[in-house]
């Protein structure tokens, strides 16, 4: 891969500060070695305080000051925070939650993606910004909106969503609603419809809604996010050739990021390792204590690799945690050195830019307790000094190539939706299943790529893991297996056909797997079954009827087969497996195909680029490794010959 110059940035809100300090701020940013500054993404009330009254003079001055200081500006569209006059104009634009309650004004992301009036209002402000700044030499990138899906704002049960959903279904199924009835199995419980306008949204039902109905609504909702984003990108491209970015979030899976990524030039995400450890990483209580000030050793890397795929190789960290945040259950201070570690880890995974949120801690409103590179009094905060150290290190080696991988994991947002619709057990979910497999491969010291249904080239990989993909097409399986990669399927891959139906010949609906699943059981988290010779089967276990050409690959100690090697050479794993079991499973596979690996110490991870090997210590203590002792929160860079 082409070596890329790595750069630093920050997020700045000139509207929060008196304009007589803007110039000093810009100079300090440049002196710190920052290249990029993101602005504007929440400034709609200052850009258009009243409808059609546009006030760009203040932003003109800010852009000019930043640009003349040698900084490159990312200009955000302000559509994540519409002002009060927009709501007065469209009082029904607010999203509605699953309990039928409106998500009211007074925060952010207070809109429904399906509201046509709001879409038109967004088009107006985006066009005005693009017209005004499209040829400005200091605007070197654009950001659309901000953090689609954050605060559970993707799915809305509003009247606008209902109307749009009915129209969407009519396009999918055509004039004959009976095609929908057949596909959804609506004969069950007399749920058959006579027309599309009879169909409601799948909330507030007496018990669970039809899973086909619920999944269709999730697919519709995902398409609404993509079309909303596309409105903005198409307008911006009329006036500007600068790259367009969106800043995704950690573990937000309720819309298809790959589909949104098709309309972007660069994918980015907002990395908050300590907050994510405590509110979404799936860590145990022991791990939360162990990594309280460092973050989960795999959660950041998972998203680095995922968004590298979403961006087709081009990606940033748009917001990097620089100190304590304000929104997690608890908000500890990072261990000294961790901001540097998080930054270098992003660069090692191919990030072009790491941008810190934010430049200065704000003394008012909801995020006043969120750290910045500067304190509210403008004195440097601890994160400032770690950013300064990184800047000095980048001067010595600004060019870092991106690493390649022999191992890929398939990721599918539609599968995540299907798991959420029909989890088959409390807290069972697709994301955690994929994360468990990713974590095991990382523990063995290997790079990982993510692939998806529109990936063009699978030929570079020696192993491709496809787990939990409830709906997967024969054409995609053929593409994945057309080269010589060892393909691993399961559990639940190919479990459904059409729109959440069990295949007539039983799952999995995979040409390469002839064995069949005859039963499924799910277990509580305190129950497990021993695997011979390592680990445990947990949570989700399938009963397999082996094909005559298949052989057992992994058994429980009671003799039950939970993995097969099929006649095609593919492996089907019919169970969720704990961490020790997955490490043993992949270690066995890697040894079989003679793929070199290194079993990493707990909390230590490795990333290899074309010419360097990075080791990251997520522990708060010295760890002994094969390359020597690694200090707490340290990064070791080894030059490869």
């Amino acid at each position: 891969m082409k070596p890329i110059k790595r750069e630093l940035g920050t997020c700045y809100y000139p509207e929060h500060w008196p304009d007589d300090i803007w110039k000093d701020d810009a100079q300090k940013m440049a002196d710190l070695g920052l290249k990029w500054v993101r602005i504007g993404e929440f400034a709609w009330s200052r850009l258009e305080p009243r409808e059609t009254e546009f006030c760009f003079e203040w932003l003109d001055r800010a852009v000019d000051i930043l640009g003349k200081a040698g900084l490159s500006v990312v200009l955000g569209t302000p559509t994540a925070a519409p002002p009060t006059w927009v709501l007065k104009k469209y009082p029904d634009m607010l999203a509605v939650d699953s309990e039928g309650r409106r998500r009211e004004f007074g925060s952010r992301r207070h809109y429904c993606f399906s509201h046509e009036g709001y879409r038109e209002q967004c088009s107006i402000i985006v066009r005005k910004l693009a017209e005004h700044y499209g040829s400005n030499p200091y605007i070197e990138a654009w950001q659309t909106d901000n953090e689609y899906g954050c605060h559970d704002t993707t799915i809305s049960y509003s009247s606008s969503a209902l109307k749009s959903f009915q129209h969407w279904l009519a396009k999918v199924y055509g004039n004959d609603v009976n095609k929908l009835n057949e596909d959804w199995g609506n004969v069950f419980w007399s749920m058959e419809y006579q027309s599309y306008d009879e169909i409601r949204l799948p909330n507030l039902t007496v018990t669970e809604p039809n899973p086909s109905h619920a999944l269709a609504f999730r697919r519709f909702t995902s398409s609404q996010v993509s079309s909303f984003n596309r409105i903005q990108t198409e307008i911006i491209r009329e006036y500007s050739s600068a790259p367009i970015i969106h800043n995704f979030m950690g573990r937000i899976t309720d819309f298809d990021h790959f589909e949104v990524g098709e309309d972007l030039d660069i994918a980015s995400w907002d990395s908050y390792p300590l907050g994510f450890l405590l509110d979404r990483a799936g860590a145990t209580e022991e791990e939360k204590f162990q990594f309280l000030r460092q973050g989960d050793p795999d959660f950041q890397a998972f998203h680095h690799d995922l968004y590298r795929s979403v961006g087709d190789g081009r990606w940033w960290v748009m917001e990097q945690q620089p100190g304590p945040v304000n929104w997690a259950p608890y908000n500890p201070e990072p261990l000294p050195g961790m901001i540097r570690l998080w930054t270098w880890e992003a660069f090692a995974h191919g990030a072009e830019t790491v941008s810190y949120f934010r430049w200065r801690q704000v003394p008012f409103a909801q995020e006043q307790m969120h750290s910045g590179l500067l304190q509210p009094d403008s004195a440097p905060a601890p994160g400032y000094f770690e950013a300064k150290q990184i800047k000095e290190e980048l001067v010595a080696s600004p060019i870092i190539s991106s690493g390649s991988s022999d191992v890929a994991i398939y990721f599918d947002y539609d599968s995540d939706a299907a798991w959420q619709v029909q989890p088959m057990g409390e807290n069972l979910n697709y994301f955690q299943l994929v994360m468990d497999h990713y974590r095991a491969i990382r523990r063995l010291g290997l790079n990982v790529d993510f692939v998806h249904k529109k990936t063009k080239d699978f030929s570079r990989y020696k192993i491709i893991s496809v787990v939990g993909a409830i709906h997967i097409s024969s054409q995609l399986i053929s593409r994945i297996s057309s080269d010589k990669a060892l393909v691993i399927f399961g559990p639940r891959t190919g479990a459904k056909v059409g729109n959440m139906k069990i295949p007539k010949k039983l799952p999995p609906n995979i040409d390469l797997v002839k064995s069949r699943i005859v039963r499924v059981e799910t277990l509580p988290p305190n129950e497990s079954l021993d695997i011979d010779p390592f680990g445990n089967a947990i949570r989700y276990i399938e009963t397999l009827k082996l094909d005559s050409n298949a052989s057992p690959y992994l058994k429980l100690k009671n003799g039950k087969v939970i993995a097969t090697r099929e006649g095609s050479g593919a492996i089907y794993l019919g169970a969720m497996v704990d961490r020790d079991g997955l490490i043993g499973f992949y270690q066995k596979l890697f040894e079989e195909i003679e793929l070199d690996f290194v079993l990493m110490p707990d909390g230590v991870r490795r990333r290899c680029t074309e010419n360097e090997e990075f080791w990251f210590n997520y522990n708060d203590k010295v760890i002994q490794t094969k390359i020597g002792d690694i200090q707490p929160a340290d990064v070791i860079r080894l030059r490869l010959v």
Side-chain angles (χ1 to χ4, degrees):
M1 296 185 180
K2 182 180 178 181
I4 299 172
K5 184 177 181 180
R6 310 305 181 186
E7 297 174 324
L8 300 175
T10 193
C11 304
Y12 186 54
Y13 300 90
E15 67 273 23
H16 294 176
W17 311 106
D19 57 9
D20 60 3
I21 70 169
W22 293 355
K23 188 172 182 179
D24 184 57
D25 278 341
Q27 190 57 54
K28 286 179 178 177
M29 292 175 195
D31 291 343
L32 184 57
L34 305 184
K35 168 64 176 174
W36 292 92
V37 183
R38 185 194 66 179
I39 63 174
E41 79 274 15
F42 294 123
W44 196 341
S45 66
R46 292 297 176 92
L47 294 168
E48 190 182 9
R50 285 164 287 278
E51 186 172 11
T52 72
E53 183 182 317
F54 297 99
C55 300
F56 293 159
E57 294 81 6
W58 68 270
L59 187 57
D60 291 344
R61 295 198 309 275
V63 169
D64 190 62
I65 287 170
L66 293 167
K68 287 181 177 176
L71 299 163
S72 299
V73 176
V74 181
L75 182 57
T77 65
T79 53
T84 54
W85 67 260
V86 178
L87 182 57
K88 288 179 181 178
K89 183 177 181 179
Y90 301 111
D92 61 344
M93 62 171 274
L94 297 171
V96 175
D97 72 11
S98 61
E99 298 299 318
R101 299 168 299 197
R102 292 198 314 174
R103 310 290 297 275
E104 295 287 356
F105 183 87
S107 184
R108 64 180 186 179
R109 301 215 52 75
H110 42 280
Y111 66 83
C112 174
F113 282 101
S114 296
H115 194 279
E116 292 300 327
Y118 184 63
R119 286 179 171 229
E120 178 59 30
Q121 204 67 54
C122 291
S123 298
I124 293 170
I125 185 63
V126 171
R127 185 171 298 279
K128 288 292 184 179
L129 284 171
E131 287 176 342
H132 192 81
Y133 293 105
S135 60
N136 189 304
Y138 300 139
I139 306 296
E140 297 193 46
W142 295 79
Q143 177 187 293
T144 56
D145 204 89
N146 186 81
E147 296 179 345
Y148 292 143
C150 191
H151 317 303
D152 297 319
T153 53
T154 300
I155 301 170
S156 171
Y157 297 89
S158 69
S159 58
S160 297
L162 172 61
K163 181 180 178 181
S164 296
F165 180 50
Q166 292 169 341
H167 290 165
W168 183 85
L169 290 171
K171 288 182 180 179
V172 171
Y173 289 100
N175 294 328
D176 187 359
V177 75
N178 286 320
K179 292 181 180 178
L180 177 148
N181 287 324
E182 174 64 24
D183 190 35
W184 289 11
N186 283 339
V187 66
F188 191 81
W189 286 352
S190 292
M191 295 182 295
E192 291 166 303
Y193 299 106
Q194 303 302 315
S195 63
Y196 289 109
D197 61 10
E198 293 180 352
I199 300 173
R200 313 303 294 174
L201 299 180
N203 67 316
L204 299 176
T205 52
V206 174
T207 183
E208 64 181 288
N210 184 337
S212 297
H213 185 176
L215 182 60
F217 181 62
R218 290 292 301 268
R219 288 171 171 169
F220 154 77
T221 298
S222 178
S223 72
Q224 293 297 87
V225 180
S226 300
S227 63
F228 180 88
N229 185 73
R230 189 173 304 118
I231 289 170
Q232 300 199 20
T233 59
E234 288 180 348
I235 291 172
I236 292 168
R237 288 198 171 97
E238 291 180 36
Y239 302 94
S240 175
S241 59
I244 303 174
I245 309 171
H246 178 74
N247 58 326
F248 300 103
M249 276 287 280
R251 199 170 181 168
I252 298 291
T253 56
D254 44 19
F255 66 94
D256 191 331
H257 294 43
F258 294 114
E259 186 175 343
V260 173
E262 290 178 8
D263 294 311
L264 303 173
D265 300 293
I266 301 170
S268 74
W269 81 290
D270 296 347
S271 176
Y272 292 93
L274 304 190
F276 290 159
L277 171 76
L278 296 175
D279 86 338
R280 69 190 67 184
T284 65
E285 291 304 312
E286 292 79 9
E287 289 166 336
K288 289 178 182 179
F289 177 78
Q290 180 181 359
F291 299 114
L292 180 68
R293 299 184 184 278
Q294 303 95 272
D296 185 285
D298 297 301
F299 193 82
Q300 287 70 246
F302 181 101
H303 288 85
H304 296 340
D305 293 337
L306 178 62
Y307 291 126
R308 186 176 65 250
S309 181
V310 170
D312 197 22
R314 296 197 66 188
W315 74 279
W316 292 17
V317 174
M318 186 63 80
E319 297 182 15
Q320 176 61 68
Q321 178 176 356
V325 298
N326 65 300
W327 45 263
Y330 306 97
N331 298 287
E333 184 173 5
L335 190 72
M338 284 311 301
I339 296 162
R340 172 177 174 265
L341 183 150
W342 298 329
T343 303
W344 276 113
E345 186 172 45
F347 286 150
H349 283 256
E352 297 176 13
T353 295
V354 174
S355 173
Y356 301 103
F357 185 89
R358 50 189 289 155
W359 173 243
R360 182 188 291 104
Q361 183 177 346
V362 68
F364 49 79
Q366 285 92 328
E367 292 182 346
Q368 61 182 274
M369 298 304 293
H370 192 300
S371 300
L373 293 177
L374 302 184
Q375 298 172 173
D377 63 357
S378 296
Y384 178 96
F385 297 104
E386 293 195 34
K388 183 178 180 181
Q389 180 181 354
I390 296 162
K391 171 244 184 175
E392 292 166 353
E393 292 169 339
L394 282 172
V395 170
S397 56
I399 307 298
I400 306 170
S401 62
S402 182
S404 59
S405 177
D406 293 318
V407 182
I409 296 177
Y410 176 76
F411 195 87
D412 179 45
Y413 288 93
D414 187 73
S415 292
D416 184 88
W419 276 80
Q420 291 193 40
V421 165
Q422 193 180 73
M424 281 297 293
E426 187 175 308
N427 294 324
L428 293 182
N429 65 84
Y430 173 78
F431 179 93
Q432 197 61 53
L433 172 63
V434 176
M435 169 62 92
D436 288 345
H437 283 254
Y438 177 87
R439 193 185 299 276
I441 297 168
R442 286 256 294 168
R443 278 297 303 271
L444 292 166
L446 295 182
N447 292 359
V448 183
D449 281 352
F450 282 104
V451 293
H452 55 99
K453 64 185 67 174
K454 293 186 179 180
T455 295
K456 299 180 179 66
D457 181 17
F458 296 96
S459 64
R460 73 189 75 171
Y461 303 111
K462 295 180 180 178
I463 286 185
I464 301 175
S465 183
V466 185
V467 296
I470 288 182
H471 293 93
I472 187 166
S473 70
S474 297
Q475 294 83 355
L476 178 58
I477 291 172
S478 178
R479 290 179 55 223
I480 289 174
S481 61
S482 62
D483 294 291
K484 295 183 178 180
L486 172 61
V487 185
I488 301 144
F489 294 106
R492 223 178 173 185
T493 296
K496 306 289 182 181
V497 294
N499 198 341
M500 295 296 281
K501 286 186 177 180
I502 297 173
K504 290 182 179 179
K505 294 183 179 180
L506 297 183
N509 186 46
I510 302 170
D511 293 339
L512 299 179
V513 180
K514 302 303 181 184
S515 298
R516 288 290 172 259
I517 299 163
V518 296
R519 280 189 310 283
V520 171
E521 66 170 332
T522 59
L523 304 177
N526 59 348
E527 187 73 20
S528 63
L529 300 173
D530 292 342
I531 299 173
D532 184 18
F534 45 72
N536 297 276
I538 58 173
R539 307 304 305 277
Y540 187 98
I541 302 170
E542 298 167 343
T543 297
L544 299 171
K545 181 181 179 181
L546 270 65
D547 179 70
S548 59
N549 293 318
S551 59
Y553 189 77
L554 203 60
K555 293 182 179 181
L556 299 177
K557 286 186 177 178
N558 65 15
K560 180 176 181 175
V561 176
I562 60 166
T564 69
R565 186 184 289 278
E566 298 292 307
S568 64
I571 289 175
Y572 186 87
L573 174 62
M576 289 183 172
V577 179
D578 67 7
R579 292 185 184 181
D580 288 342
L582 281 176
I583 290 170
F585 173 75
Y586 279 105
Q587 184 170 334
K588 180 181 178 183
L589 290 172
F590 296 162
E591 288 170 347
E592 287 179 4
I593 67 171
E594 298 181 341
L595 183 60
D596 290 336
F597 62 88
V598 178
L599 181 59
M600 305 299 291
D602 186 27
V604 177
R605 296 294 185 266
R606 182 177 76 148
R607 172 75 183 178
C608 294
T609 70
E610 275 72 21
N611 54 7
E612 286 185 279
E613 185 174 327
F614 290 80
W615 288 59
F616 303 96
N617 184 8
Y618 267 82
N619 294 286
D620 60 359
K621 59 186 177 182
V622 177
I623 299 294
Q624 294 180 335
T625 74
K626 61 174 284 187
I627 64 168
D629 290 352
I630 306 181
Q631 298 299 312
D634 202 5
V635 179
I636 302 297
R637 298 175 65 181
L638 304 175
R639 184 71 60 177
L640 300 178
V641 177

